[in-house]
Structures are given as structure tokens and as C-alpha cells.
Amino acid sequence: MGKTILITGGAGFIGSHVVRLFVNKYPSYNIINLDKLTYAGNLANLKDIENKPNYKFIKADICDFPTILNIFKDNNIEGVLHLAAESHVDRSIKDPFTFASTNVLGTLSLLQAAKECWKDDFSGKMFYHISTDEVYGALQFDNTLFTENTKYDPHSPYSASKASSDHFVRAFHDTYSLPIIITNCSNNYGPYQFPEKLIPLFINNIRNKKPLPVYGKGENVRDWLYVEDHARAIDIVFHKGKVGETYNIGGFNEWSNIDLIKVIIKTVDKLLGNKEGESDNLITYVTDRAGHDLRYAIDATKLEKELGWRPSLQFEEGIEKTVKWYLDNQQWMDNVTSGEYEKYYENMYSNR
Ligand code: NAD
Ligand code: TYD
């Protein structure tokens, strides 16, 4: 039997791409997707691989330590790719407790289970935490970039919870020698992203001729990476990364929100056959997000130099592919926005 790898949060946006990549690329691995199926989890994201013999789904909450420990013991897990999290900044501003619970205590529960099961033999084991560049805080409008040595300075409850979980992961390495790796990645975009995040929300609103709420003046800058490039980086780091290390992952692709929004509008109008500029009037400036970080930008040179990864997709190509995917998969979007997807899986997985 091959290795058993536990992927948490595999029903979410990035997790589903990672699960798909691992299930298809490594037929000898047993891939367990552990997910609580919160509002952000959607097993329809994995329809194409759900019947593969090396794939198994377990509905569980990472905060439920006794259950997590049993899953570790029952399945002889050798590697963990930990992506389960509450991931949306706006939600964290409204409900910070859920973020502390899942992102901090949930991560701690996984770490503790891994430590208890692996403590007699750490060889061949790996606990890999997928984290965010938002832990580094905010940059000014200059040429500076986040490196692996940038001091943590989180501002939102989301980034504070991810920073805290990163610290726990490192603490388990320093204190108990648990083999760990952390990556901190910039903003992802692509298929299967929950439409509360900027890109899918705006594509869907343009399609439905609804307002596009731009926070503040739209001047904030984000570095965007196509999600499959992130999944590919995760594969490389998991297999070749050095234990105890941190790697930054980024797109070398900075955009102010307003410029990005104009590209999205242009692409959606083009693919829908609308007149150029037809949807420009949907742009609606709204009150800024509280504590809105000005700029994120990643220096991913370490990953490039040490492990040979670079983003493969040009942004123009990635955004066109993404818009096309959402327009071609309206049923997916409609099921998510109507809440239909939750009812279906509630019945299917009411028990583990
Ligand atoms: P997502 O919100 O789309 O998915 C999160 C998944 O975790 C969902 O399937 C959800 O059901 C599951 N989950 C939530 N709470 C859980 C719990 N208590 N127990 C078990 N499962 C639970 O998130 P995403 O955008 O795919 O992000 C995945 C990871 O990558 C997160 O850790 C996030 O911090 C990190 N990250 C995201 C981005 C980004 O741009 N989206 C960038 C860098 C890092
Ligand atoms: P988001 O997709 O929520 O990701 P993050 O907050 O993790 O960077 O937001 C991306 C950027 O877009 C961020 O600067 C906030 C902004 N934004 C809007 O202007 N309007 C919106 O409706 C949303 C969801 C985001």
C-alpha cells in the first residue's frame, strides 16, 4: 500500500485543486479529504475524481480532537496538507471567534494528533501548513516585497488567526521536532472559488447586471496567482521542500483592485458578446473595508531558486480562462448562490 495523505479543507477552493492534482498524479497514494463542509465546502468541486479508488472523503471538524486523533490512528496517515480554514476577511471582521476556533484551535488539534501518532518515528512524515501572505501585514505603494524574513504584522482577524496558526506549527517543530513546512501564498483566483471573493463575485454580478461594490477608492493592490499554479507549488514543496522551512508563493502579478476590475469587466463583456464598456456603469464605490490592507506583494525567489517553481500562466490567459469557466458553469454558480449545494450534501453526509 502507498502512502496515506490527509488533505484538510479539500472541498474548498484551493483544497479541491490540490486534491484533484494529488489523486490524479499519485495513483499509489491514498488521499483522504477531510472537510467539515461549512458554507465554503462543496463536494461538487470534486465530482470528476470522487469515484477514484485512491480517494476517500471524511466529513469532520478539525476542532474535534478525539475524532481527528482516531482518523490519524485508523488510517496510518504519513503526510498532512492542511488547508481547512475560515478564509474570508470580511467574515472575520463580523465573526472573529469562528476564525480563532477553526484556524488556531483546529490547527492545534491537527498538530497534536500528528505529534501523538508520529512521535516514535518522524521519518517520512510531513505536516504542511498552507498559509497566506496576509500574515506579513501591509506594504506601502513602493517596490518592497514580502520575503520569508518579513516580520509578521497581521491586521485583520483572519490574518491574525493565520499568523497564530503559523506560530503554532513552528512551535511544534521547535519544541517536539515535528517535521513541518509552511508556505505563505498571495491571492488565488480560478475555478470553484466561493463567490464572496472579489473575482467570482464580480463575474457573477456582471452576468446578472448587479452592482460591483468597490471598497474605498479601489486603490488597494493584491498579487494574483492562478490556483492551479498554487496547487503545483504545493506539490513541489510537499515532495522537495526542506523540513522546518517557509516558502513564499506569489504570482509576480500586482494589480490595483480598480484596474483588475476593469480587466474583469472587459473580459466578461467580450465573452458574453456585450458591447465594450457596457458593464462599466456597474462599478459602485462603497465604504472601505475596516483595516483594509493597502498592498500585498510577494517575493517568491526562494521557491524559484531552491525548488524551481514559477507561475506558468500569464495573467491575461488566466483571467480569460477563469471568466470562461464561470460563464460555462452557471449551474455550479447558481447552486452555490441559491444554497442548493448545501441541502444536497447535508443529506448525503449527515453521518460520517
Ligand atoms: P475556502 O474557504 O474556499 O475553503 C476552506 C475549506 O475548509 C472549506 O471546504 C471548508 O468546508 C473547510 N473547513 C472550514 N472549517 C473547517 C473545520 N473546522 N473543519 C474542517 N474543515 C473546515 O478556502 P481557500 O480559499 O480554498 O483557502 C484554503 C487555504 O489556503 C486556507 O488555509 C487559506 O488561509 C489559504 N490561502 C488562501 C488564499 C486565497 O487566495 N484563497 C491565499 C493564500 C492562502
Ligand atoms: P478578497 O477577494 O476578499 O481577498 P483578500 O481580502 O483576502 O485580499 O478581496 C480582494 C480585494 O478586493 C481586497 O482588497 C478587497 C477588495 N474587494 C472589493 O473591493 N469589493 C468586494 O466586494 C470584495 C469581496 C473585495
Side-chain angles (χ1 to χ4, degrees):
M1 281 301 263
K3 258 186 170 191
T4 299
I5 311 288
L6 180 72
I7 302 182
T8 70
F13 166 48
I14 302 171
S16 63
H17 289 274
V18 174
V19 167
R20 178 174 299 102
L21 176 69
F22 273 65
V23 165
N24 287 332
K25 187 169 174 186
Y26 302 106
S28 69
Y29 287 0
N30 302 304
I31 303 298
I32 300 180
N33 171 14
L34 184 154
D35 199 295
K36 183 183 175 184
L37 298 182
T38 67
Y39 79 94
N42 183 356
L43 288 171
N45 298 357
L46 291 166
K47 270 218 155 318
D48 54 322
I49 58 104
E50 68 186 3
N51 293 320
K52 296 257 181 172
N54 62 336
Y55 171 73
K56 177 162 107 177
F57 174 71
I58 298 177
K59 179 170 158 56
D61 183 342
I62 54 168
C63 300
D64 176 1
F65 177 67
T67 300
I68 295 297
L69 187 59
N70 281 337
I71 291 169
F72 265 80
K73 285 182 179 159
D74 292 349
N75 293 282
N76 189 26
I77 285 157
E78 292 181 84
V80 177
L81 293 164
H82 174 35
L83 294 101
E86 287 293 336
S87 67
H88 189 42
V89 173
D90 293 328
R91 283 182 191 255
S92 81
I93 294 168
K94 290 194 191 103
D95 174 21
F97 279 105
T98 309
F99 283 70
S101 169
T102 289
N103 298 359
V104 184
L105 297 178
T107 301
L108 182 56
S109 142
L110 287 164
L111 286 165
Q112 186 71 11
K115 180 185 75 122
E116 282 197 22
C117 285
W118 296 349
K119 62 177 186 283
D120 296 330
D121 182 12
F122 281 142
S123 64
K125 310 293 196 300
M126 174 58 73
F127 189 103
Y128 176 0
H129 186 221
I130 283 76
S131 191
T132 168
D133 61 353
E134 302 189 24
V135 298
Y136 296 126
L139 297 165
Q140 295 303 309
F141 292 136
D142 53 23
N143 292 326
T144 49
L145 300 170
F146 296 135
T147 73
E148 288 79 1
N149 297 321
T150 303
K151 223 164 101 280
Y152 275 31
D153 182 22
H155 298 145
S156 74
Y158 165 65
S159 54
S161 68
K162 291 297 288 190
S164 172
S165 57
D166 283 356
H167 289 319
F168 269 107
V169 174
R170 280 199 197 91
F172 268 63
H173 176 62
D174 297 345
T175 309
Y176 310 110
S177 304
L178 190 80
I180 64 102
I181 287 189
I182 297 173
T183 50
N184 298 87
C185 186
S186 62
N187 286 53
N188 283 215
Y189 70 99
Y192 301 115
Q193 188 167 29
F194 196 85
E196 61 189 352
K197 306 276 165 62
L198 181 74
I199 292 183
L201 175 72
F202 278 34
I203 295 171
N204 196 40
N205 283 10
I206 298 167
R207 170 166 81 91
N208 294 315
K209 302 200 177 304
K210 282 168 65 178
L212 306 174
V214 181
Y215 298 163
K217 294 184 181 150
E219 287 170 343
N220 303 62
V221 170
R222 298 290 181 266
D223 167 24
W224 293 93
L225 177 68
Y226 192 68
V227 64
E228 286 179 5
D229 273 331
H230 187 191
R232 202 167 46 79
I234 289 172
D235 177 23
I236 293 171
V237 170
F238 182 70
H239 288 100
K240 299 196 184 138
K242 222 167 110 199
V243 171
E245 290 287 312
T246 288
Y247 300 89
N248 281 351
I249 307 175
F252 301 99
N253 179 41
E254 288 182 52
W255 287 82
S256 73
N257 289 342
I258 193 64
D259 287 345
L260 175 76
I261 289 160
K262 286 178 184 162
V263 174
I264 297 169
I265 293 175
K266 205 170 159 191
T267 313
V268 177
D269 274 343
K270 184 180 90 179
L271 293 179
L272 285 177
N274 294 341
K275 276 201 322 280
E276 193 172 336
E278 185 169 320
S279 302
D280 290 355
N281 63 350
L282 296 176
I283 291 178
T284 309
Y285 290 93
V286 299
T287 310
D288 207 356
R289 174 186 276 171
H292 198 172
D293 284 337
L294 201 57
R295 173 173 165 257
Y296 303 142
I298 276 277
D299 179 354
T301 315
K302 176 176 173 185
L303 184 56
E304 183 175 5
K305 280 205 176 126
E306 294 186 12
L307 303 181
W309 175 90
R310 255 196 92 79
S312 70
L313 222 62
Q314 290 296 314
F315 186 64
E316 290 69 18
E317 199 186 333
I319 206 77
E320 178 133 353
K321 218 171 142 167
T322 302
V323 170
K324 193 167 173 342
W325 188 87
Y326 284 101
L327 297 180
D328 288 347
N329 289 275
Q330 289 182 8
Q331 193 62 54
W332 180 90
M333 180 62 89
D334 292 343
N335 281 347
V336 170
T337 50
S338 69
E340 207 43 47
Y341 74 113
E342 285 189 297
K343 282 185 218 142
Y344 176 62
Y345 289 109
E346 245 167 46
N347 298 335
M348 212 164 155
Y349 292 103
S350 47
N351 299 306
R352 179 156 81 80

